[in-house]
Structure formats: C-alpha cells, structure tokens
Amino acid sequence: APWRLMMSLTPSRGCLLDLPWEDILVPHILCHLPLQQLLSLQRVSKSFQSLVQLYLANMRSFDSSQIGPAIPRAAFVNLLKDNEVLQQLALQNCSDWLTDRELLPVIGQNHHLHQIQLKGCAQLSRHALVAISLSCPNLRQLSLAHCEWVDSLSLRSLADHCKALEAVDLTACRQLKDEAICYLVQKCSRLKSLSLAVNANVGDVAVEEIAKCCPELEHLDLTGCLRVKNDSIRVLAEYCPKLRSLKVKHCHNVAESSLSILRSRGVELDVEPPLQRALVLLQDVVGFAPFINLQI
C-alpha cells in the first residue's frame, strides 16, 4: 500500500514533492517505507532520486537485512557514502564481500554510532575493530560473533576507547584468551551482557574478573567454555546480584553444586537440575514419566 501511494503521487500531480522535504517527507513519510522500496522509488524520476538520496544521507539506522538476503558491494558503498549521522549499523548480510575497504570509510565518518552488528563478517581484519574504537566513543552494543580476526590488541583498543559499552558478543572469537577478556572488563565496567561462547581458551580467571569488575552484569554466555569450573561460577554468584541469565551448556566442569546458588535466586540457566534431567532422559527411554517417591 505505501508503494502504490508513492507511485500515484508523482511529480506531475504536484502533490507529494511540493511538501517540505527535510521537515515533512524525510522524517515523517519516507521513514515508514521499507528500505528496499525506497531504493526502487529512486527509479520513478530524478526528483524522487534526489529525495531518496537526501533520506539516505540522514538515516539514523541501517540494517542490510532490510534490502534482502544479500546486498551488492557497490550498492552498499553508494547508500552510505554521504551519511554522517548513523547511530545503528547492522551488516550481517554482507559477510560474503565486506572488507575493511568498504567498512572503514563508513565508520570513519560516523562518530555517533552506538550499536554495531558485524556477526559473521569474516573478511574484515583487526583494523576494523581499531577503527571502531577510535571513531565511536559512544558505542553501547557491539556484535563480533564468529569474527575470528578479533585479537587481543584490537580488543584492547576497544576497551581503551569505548568505556560505555553495555553489550558485547565475542562468540567464537577464538584468538581471545583470559588476559584479553580481563582487560576488557576492567575498562568496561558497565557491561550488562557478554557472550564468550564457543571459546575453549576462556577459563576461570576471565569469569572471576568479569564477576568482580561488572556489578551490572545481567546476561553471560559461557556455552562451550570447557575450562570454566565451579569456583568461578560461585564468584559470579557472589559479585553479580543483577545476573538474570547464565548459559553454561557443554561446560563439563560446571556442576549443580555451584549452579544451585544461582538457581535459588531465580537466575535463568540453560541446564536443568540433575533430577529433572534424569527424569527427562528416562521419559525419552521408556516413553512415560514414572512415579518416583522423592521422600525415600
């Protein structure tokens, strides 16, 4: 329906484009259209092309998934070449071709970014993270999941310059070890959400430092962190009163003896209590839940 409305209000009718562009059309009309339709709208006329370019230059949020399953490299460069006011940038659909060459100019001219999503962008390098740290002092949320190019030096730069970070996703950033994580949380004590999942190099030293440095922590993902043990989970329970969820699936050295403390506080855990787990397994085997006298 929005598309048909726009197509009907062509310049020849002297209606839509007569409205003030910056005061009315950009902030109150174009913002309600999907990005993909806006790009198609450029083909209506040169006036509409100019209007859409003005909108793109004033966008506060860009999400590549709104354009489709994949966005061409040239289209990405053209879309953001004039924008200096971005606050949110999500580029998870650009992983096949996105390199430092395309990303760094966008980062360098947008100093108001507070949310960046680069999940799976495997062709970037540590220079991308250094550029983010130097250009985005107000960064609050950053996803680097499955970006194995993230190393301790680039993470140190992030910690030194982006101390307002509240959510960081470092899932499968396998170069990172305890020392790098400790430095991050010492500098970024406002963290509320942190994922270190699928990293066999992360152990008790990092988890204990997270607990002691981040009293506002609400969500922690340690899935597959094989070196994490019970002692650090107890420290986490002691120092993080605001913790709401903890993921420790496949952490084989974490047992109920430490998790029960968090469980009693209502913290959401991704592993079930031993008895409940046993009942589920038994039900899968025999096909029904047997009656068990728990008073024995």
Side-chain angles (χ1 to χ4, degrees):
W3 169 245
R4 287 194 292 271
L5 172 63
M6 285 297 212
M7 288 297 291
S8 66
L9 295 171
T10 58
S12 61
R13 301 193 178 193
C15 294
L16 185 66
L17 293 178
D18 288 340
L19 295 172
W21 287 19
E22 294 189 25
D23 297 331
I24 300 298
L25 295 183
V26 169
H28 298 295
I29 295 181
L30 296 191
C31 64
H32 296 292
L33 291 177
L35 187 56
Q36 192 168 22
Q37 291 187 358
L38 279 172
L39 300 182
S40 299
L41 187 62
Q42 293 185 98
R43 298 196 292 266
V44 174
S45 69
K46 290 184 177 180
S47 295
F48 269 113
Q49 183 180 19
S50 298
L51 174 61
V52 173
Q53 288 298 320
L54 177 64
Y55 172 80
L56 294 174
N58 288 277
M59 277 192 309
R60 297 297 196 273
S61 176
F62 179 81
D63 186 344
S64 61
S65 65
Q66 294 181 5
I67 299 177
I71 172 175
R73 184 198 312 257
F76 169 78
V77 173
N78 184 61
L79 285 173
L80 297 179
K81 61 183 176 60
D82 297 321
N83 193 304
E84 298 180 359
V85 294
L86 277 177
Q87 296 179 5
Q88 300 176 340
L89 180 64
L91 300 176
Q92 60 269 33
N93 282 32
C94 306
S95 57
D96 291 340
W97 54 262
L98 185 69
T99 67
D100 293 353
R101 182 177 180 180
E102 293 80 29
L103 180 63
L104 264 57
V106 176
I107 296 299
Q109 66 192 31
N110 283 280
H111 304 293
H112 303 289
L113 280 163
H114 59 74
Q115 183 175 334
I116 299 177
Q117 162 68 268
L118 296 175
K119 180 179 179 181
C121 293
Q123 298 189 49
L124 297 173
S125 77
R126 60 182 301 272
H127 299 295
L129 186 53
V130 173
I132 289 171
S133 66
L134 296 177
S135 297
C136 308
N138 300 314
L139 196 63
R140 298 288 191 276
Q141 299 179 33
L142 177 63
S143 175
L144 298 168
H146 303 281
C147 293
E148 296 194 21
W149 45 266
V150 176
D151 61 10
S152 59
L153 287 177
S154 57
L155 193 70
R156 180 179 289 261
S157 178
L158 180 74
D160 284 336
H161 297 94
C162 300
K163 298 179 181 179
L165 279 166
E166 296 179 355
V168 180
D169 188 346
L170 298 172
T171 298
C173 293
R174 295 185 176 91
Q175 288 195 58
L176 301 178
K177 299 181 180 180
D178 282 350
E179 182 182 3
I181 303 304
C182 289
Y183 192 87
L184 174 69
V185 298
Q186 288 166 4
K187 297 288 186 175
C188 303
S189 58
R190 300 183 191 177
L191 280 174
K192 295 181 180 180
S193 177
L194 178 63
S195 175
L196 302 173
V198 199
N199 191 334
N201 293 318
V202 171
D204 284 344
V205 172
V207 176
E208 291 183 15
E209 196 67 15
I210 292 168
K212 294 174 181 178
C213 294
C214 302
E216 303 297 317
L217 192 69
E218 297 179 3
H219 307 283
L220 180 61
D221 190 346
L222 300 173
T223 304
C225 294
L226 304 178
R227 294 176 55 232
V228 174
K229 302 181 181 66
N230 281 324
D231 288 345
S232 63
I233 300 301
R234 292 191 183 97
V235 175
L236 194 68
E238 180 181 355
Y239 284 89
C240 295
K242 297 184 179 181
L243 193 67
R244 294 167 52 192
S245 71
L246 173 66
K247 294 183 178 181
V248 288
K249 188 171 288 186
H250 307 303
C251 295
H252 304 304
N253 294 313
V254 175
E256 184 63 21
S257 58
S258 61
L259 294 177
S260 60
I261 305 170
L262 294 168
R263 204 184 299 278
S264 65
R265 283 172 26 193
V267 176
E268 180 182 346
L269 303 173
D270 63 342
V271 293
E272 298 171 337
L275 178 58
Q276 185 174 348
R277 191 182 311 132
L279 289 174
V280 171
L281 291 173
L282 184 58
Q283 184 175 2
D284 289 341
V285 173
V286 303
F288 66 93
F291 173 77
I292 298 179
N293 187 352
L294 300 180
Q295 296 180 341
I296 295 177

